[in-house]
């Protein structure tokens, strides 16, 4: 007879905490059914059925809340040289030029160099016909947020917001 692992028990405890906060529904019933399945003494198929009920229920909760499930390896095609790709590159080029040229940059010279490098790295990723969404997001999101927080009302702040909006339109953010 094999007992559930500690990791499974901790995860199940967290799932139960989530379902305790939910209104009764088909989704919560599915999650509860999976969490109450007796697993000790049964073959793997019972464990996988319980796991499937739990994961499908939790996924339904996310979909119902209009949230996407994180897909760190999701790849999108930008159709090389398409108008969308060209516009994204142009918007980044405009922002990089503005960061380089502005006299009222809200940081130290080293920060300006860092920001230009990060924006250029994001631009390089977007030059490819296919791009991993997480790579673009991790490269550009913190930089665009920093510019927005430090220079929201300035020209570079508005350009950063424009880049963010456009990338959101492309489902990258």
């Amino acid at each position: 007879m094999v007992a559930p692992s500690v990791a499974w028990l901790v995860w199940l405890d967290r799932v139960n905490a989530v379902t305790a906060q939910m209104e009764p529904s088909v989704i919560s019933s599915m999650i509860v059914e999976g969490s109450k399945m007796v697993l000790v003494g049964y073959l793997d198929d019972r464990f996988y059925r319980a796991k499937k009920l739990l994961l499908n229920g939790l996924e339904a909760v996310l979909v119902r809340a209009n949230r996407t499930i994180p897909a760190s390896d999701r790849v999108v095609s930008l159709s090389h040289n398409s108008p969308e790709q060209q516009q994204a590159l142009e918007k980044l080029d405009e922002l990089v030029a503005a960061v380089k040229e502005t006299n009222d940059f809200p940081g130290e010279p080293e920060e300006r160099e860092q920001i230009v490098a990060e924006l250029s790295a994001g631009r390089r990723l977007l030059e490819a016909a296919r791009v991993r969404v997480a790579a673009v997001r991790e490269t550009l999101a913190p930089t665009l947020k920093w510019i927005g927080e430090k220079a929201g009302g300035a020209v570079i702040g508005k350009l950063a917001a424009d880049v963010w909006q456009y990338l959101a339109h492309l489902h990258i953010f």
Side-chain angles (χ1 to χ4, degrees), residues 3 19 38 47 103 106 113 133 144:
T19 55
V38 177
F47 170 79
N103 291 328
E113 185 179 328
V133 171
L144 294 172

Side-chain angles (χ1 to χ4, degrees), residues 70-145:
S72 58
D73 10 331
R74 184 168 61 104
V75 174
V76 294
S77 178
L78 294 176
S79 302
H80 203 54
N81 294 322
S82 69
E84 293 84 8
Q85 183 189 39
Q86 291 306 311
Q87 190 165 5
L89 296 175
E90 288 169 11
K91 287 180 181 296
L92 277 167
D93 288 343
E94 190 177 0
L95 178 56
V96 167
V99 168
K100 286 179 178 178
E101 296 167 5
T102 188
N103 291 328
D104 58 347
F105 184 79
E108 301 296 320
E110 295 84 17
E111 286 175 306
R112 182 191 308 246
E113 185 179 328
Q114 174 189 349
I115 295 298
V116 168
E118 290 170 354
L119 292 171
S120 298
R123 186 195 190 287
R124 178 65 184 105
L125 289 169
L126 290 170
E127 287 176 355
R130 290 173 37 120
V131 64
R132 191 168 315 284
V133 171
V136 175
R137 189 180 302 132
E138 291 299 315
T139 303
L140 289 175
T143 306
L144 294 172
K145 284 181 184 178

Side-chain angles (χ1 to χ4, degrees), residues 26-67:
V26 173
I27 296 170
S28 64
S29 297
M30 176 185 277
I31 296 169
V32 168
E33 180 184 344
S35 70
K36 291 189 185 244
M37 289 184 78
V38 177
L39 302 176
V40 178
Y42 289 91
L43 298 176
D44 284 346
D45 63 324
R46 187 136 179 149
F47 170 79
Y48 289 111
R49 185 175 186 305
K51 181 177 156 186
K52 187 89 168 151
L53 284 166
L54 290 164
L55 292 176
N56 285 348
L58 292 171
E59 183 176 345
V61 169
L62 290 173
V63 170
R64 188 175 70 187
N66 290 326
R67 294 186 186 153

